[in-house]
Amino acid sequence: MESPLNRREFLKMLGMAGAGTFLVTSPWLSAFAQVDQTTKEKVRIGIIGPGSRGRFLMKFILKNPKVQIAALCDVYQPSIDEALKMVPNVKVYNDYKKLLEDKSIDAVVIATPLDRHYQMILDAFDAGKDVFCEKSICYDLWQCHDVYKRYKAGNRIFFVGQQRLFDSRYVKAMKMVHDGVFGEINAIWAYWNRNNDWRRPCPSDDLDELINWRLYKEHSKGIMTELACHQLQVGTWAFREIPNTIMGHAAITRWKDRREVYDNLSCIYAFDSGVKMTYDSVLSNKFYGLEEKIMGTKGTIEPETGKFYFEEIAPAPAFVRLVDEIEMKVFNAVPFAGTSWEPETASKNKGEYILGKTPKADGTSLMLDAFVESVITRKQPENIVEEAYYASALSLLGHQAVEEGKIITFPDEYKIDYLNHSAKIQ
């Protein structure tokens, strides 16, 4: 069993020449190649949207000695007040365009409602700022495509908040998957279940849409853009292929509280090779939590829990085998069981940990550190934007399939040059 990697060891490994085996699976980790040579640098960052998610990101940013949070911007004063407790005496704006005019700021972190991402990203590019934006990239697919084209035509560093790309469990898991440890991968089952209304408290009803923007169609696509976006990216990362057919169904069945987005949803993503990825989410039962079960002919890996299982497990001890044989004789006599009934082995297979145990970090800290390193070195990591683009695109297409009640085919005009897709010739 391998010992778990702590953050320092993980960074050290990625900075070594021998890290090439990991870079094949996760080329964006190249952002850390010069981590020891940039110790005297300082990046000045402006935070656009220091709400709950923005302040969560700030916690990690403040731990990086190469960063100074230089400015805050929000239209909601309580968010500014809370953020100022973390970074007192910084510049404060209520108009993000004014923050972008500040020449001393090198980069911005955008953690605003989804419907505001598009214009903010483009304005930041135009202002010469490097950009870290929370997922999904944009509210509409055409916006995502436009942002991608602008990014490719410019020279700005661009990251999107897909933290699993930097989670040590997922990095190691994908290397195992791509090395064929689990055989041929034919299916992925991803799910994210909760049992709460997804609402945040607000001081008055007139602020509900501002604070609970995720629940309203004008600002959000709900489950697909807020949850599924993370997990669909894991699927395409594992398959190294983009699905071309999407179908789904959703409804509001539990939380009938003026929300406009669904509280339960299922989608199927079919690949040209015939394999599929299914996505499910319910907000009325948390028992199974969240996971991406990557299922191969030789085994299964669950990156979120950090465990893997092989199809063939060691024989049970003699006593357990004896009990199984007795049970089989008993159940063979029961008509509904039939003579071919055998005890399932899944409950006996406890699995093994990918990194020795489940790490506490989810990749957010490394992701932000990688952004800082890229801003300093002016080197955009390979494939990271493409992975984020397709995560956003598949989320939005899943939402479209649900809304229209149709089987959706990935539009040719929104394909980019990545994996099995090619950009449409203009």
Side-chain angles (χ1 to χ4, degrees):
M1 181 68 66
E2 290 183 296
S3 61
L5 298 173
N6 64 33
R7 182 173 178 276
R8 181 180 295 275
E9 290 170 339
F10 191 57
L11 279 173
K12 182 178 179 181
M13 178 195 71
L14 297 176
M16 295 169 57
T21 55
F22 283 92
L23 294 179
V24 171
T25 291
S26 310
W28 42 87
L29 296 178
S30 64
F32 295 110
Q34 297 174 245
V35 67
D36 293 330
Q37 287 75 49
T38 60
T39 55
K40 296 181 180 180
E41 302 291 338
K42 184 76 75 172
V43 174
R44 289 172 57 83
I45 288 180
I47 308 294
I48 302 176
S52 58
R53 182 63 185 179
R55 294 195 300 275
F56 178 77
L57 299 178
M58 287 171 62
K59 284 196 312 181
F60 297 106
I61 293 171
L62 288 171
K63 294 178 182 179
N64 190 330
K66 301 176 186 180
V67 180
Q68 177 187 353
I69 295 178
L72 304 170
C73 178
D74 207 298
V75 296
Y76 186 54
Q77 188 60 40
S79 291
I80 291 288
D81 294 339
E82 288 299 313
L84 285 172
K85 294 177 183 178
M86 303 172 68
V87 284
N89 305 316
V90 301
K91 294 179 182 178
V92 174
Y93 300 91
N94 58 17
D95 182 346
Y96 78 92
K97 292 183 179 179
K98 295 294 184 183
L99 183 150
L100 294 177
E101 290 174 1
D102 188 336
K103 301 298 183 183
S104 69
I105 293 176
D106 303 304
V108 295
V109 168
I110 299 174
T112 64
L114 177 61
D115 61 310
R116 303 177 191 179
H117 287 186
Y118 174 65
Q119 196 59 54
M120 288 180 171
I121 294 170
L122 295 187
D123 288 342
F125 285 166
D126 289 342
K129 311 299 184 189
D130 297 319
V131 176
F132 175 96
C133 183
E134 267 300 342
K135 58 83 197 138
S136 298
I137 297 176
C138 294
Y139 179 84
D140 285 313
L141 184 50
W142 70 265
Q143 294 175 336
C144 293
H145 193 250
D146 196 33
V147 164
Y148 182 76
K149 289 190 297 182
R150 290 284 298 275
Y151 150 72
K152 291 292 286 185
N155 62 352
R156 307 320 310 170
I157 301 299
F158 184 39
F159 273 54
V160 182
Q162 304 282 163
Q163 65 262 29
R164 283 167 172 77
L165 293 170
F166 293 90
D167 187 320
S168 55
R169 293 167 298 181
Y170 285 80
V171 171
K172 181 66 179 295
M174 291 306 167
K175 184 178 185 303
M176 295 171 75
V177 167
H178 296 159
D179 283 350
V181 173
F182 305 106
E184 181 180 316
I185 306 299
N186 286 308
I188 295 177
W189 176 29
Y191 54 84
W192 196 325
N193 301 315
R194 296 172 169 176
N195 195 346
N196 61 57
D197 60 8
W198 207 4
R199 281 194 174 276
R200 296 178 179 178
C202 56
S204 61
D205 285 345
D206 61 312
L207 293 172
D208 180 54
E209 198 165 328
L210 176 66
I211 294 173
N212 288 302
W213 58 270
R214 290 175 179 83
L215 303 181
Y216 298 99
K217 289 185 177 181
E218 182 180 351
H219 312 292
S220 166
K221 302 291 174 72
I223 286 172
M224 293 308 298
T225 52
E226 300 306 312
L227 301 181
C229 189
H230 287 297
Q231 297 176 287
L232 297 177
Q233 182 272 319
V234 172
T236 55
W237 187 7
F239 278 131
R240 306 311 295 143
E241 185 181 352
I242 308 299
N244 279 315
T245 306
I246 304 102
M247 62 200 81
H249 178 271
I252 300 174
T253 58
R254 172 68 176 92
W255 301 107
K256 300 177 181 180
D257 57 356
R258 298 182 310 178
R259 76 182 55 216
E260 298 170 354
V261 301
Y262 307 113
D263 64 7
N264 78 86
L265 179 146
S266 295
C267 282
I268 299 175
Y269 292 81
F271 296 75
D272 291 344
S273 59
V275 300
K276 71 179 186 299
M277 171 169 58
T278 59
Y279 183 79
D280 298 300
S281 180
V282 297
L283 302 184
S284 57
N285 184 293
K286 65 180 180 181
F287 184 78
Y288 288 106
L290 71 150
E291 188 55 87
E292 304 91 25
K293 296 180 183 291
I294 303 171
M295 295 176 277
T297 53
K298 295 180 180 179
T300 299
I301 191 161
E302 299 177 340
E304 185 65 33
T305 54
K307 298 190 77 173
F308 63 91
Y309 310 80
F310 288 118
E311 288 286 284
E312 302 297 330
I313 61 173
F319 178 75
V320 176
R321 288 203 306 272
L322 176 62
V323 171
D324 284 347
E325 289 171 2
I326 293 172
E327 289 179 342
M328 187 154 43
K329 289 178 181 178
V330 171
F331 283 105
N332 274 346
V334 181
F336 68 78
T339 56
S340 63
W341 181 88
E342 292 183 8
E344 294 291 341
T345 59
S347 61
K348 303 188 186 79
N349 189 345
K350 303 302 182 183
E352 302 289 347
Y353 283 103
I354 297 169
L355 294 175
K357 66 177 182 180
T358 302
K360 295 180 180 179
D362 69 352
T364 300
S365 180
L366 279 176
M367 173 180 63
L368 292 165
D369 288 349
F371 174 64
V372 171
E373 292 299 322
S374 294
V375 171
I376 293 172
T377 63
R378 310 308 309 156
K379 295 179 180 179
Q380 173 75 35
E382 183 181 355
N383 292 359
I384 188 171
V385 179
E386 287 73 16
E387 288 286 322
Y389 174 80
Y390 273 108
S392 296
L394 294 175
S395 299
L396 293 166
L397 289 171
H399 182 268
Q400 180 185 344
V402 165
E403 287 281 276
E404 297 180 1
K406 297 178 180 177
I407 298 175
I408 299 293
T409 300
F410 201 110
D412 286 339
E413 62 268 30
Y414 296 129
K415 293 178 180 179
I416 62 174
D417 291 325
Y418 191 55
L419 298 177
N420 55 307
H421 277 190
S422 297
K424 182 180 181 181
I425 299 175
Q426 301 295 328

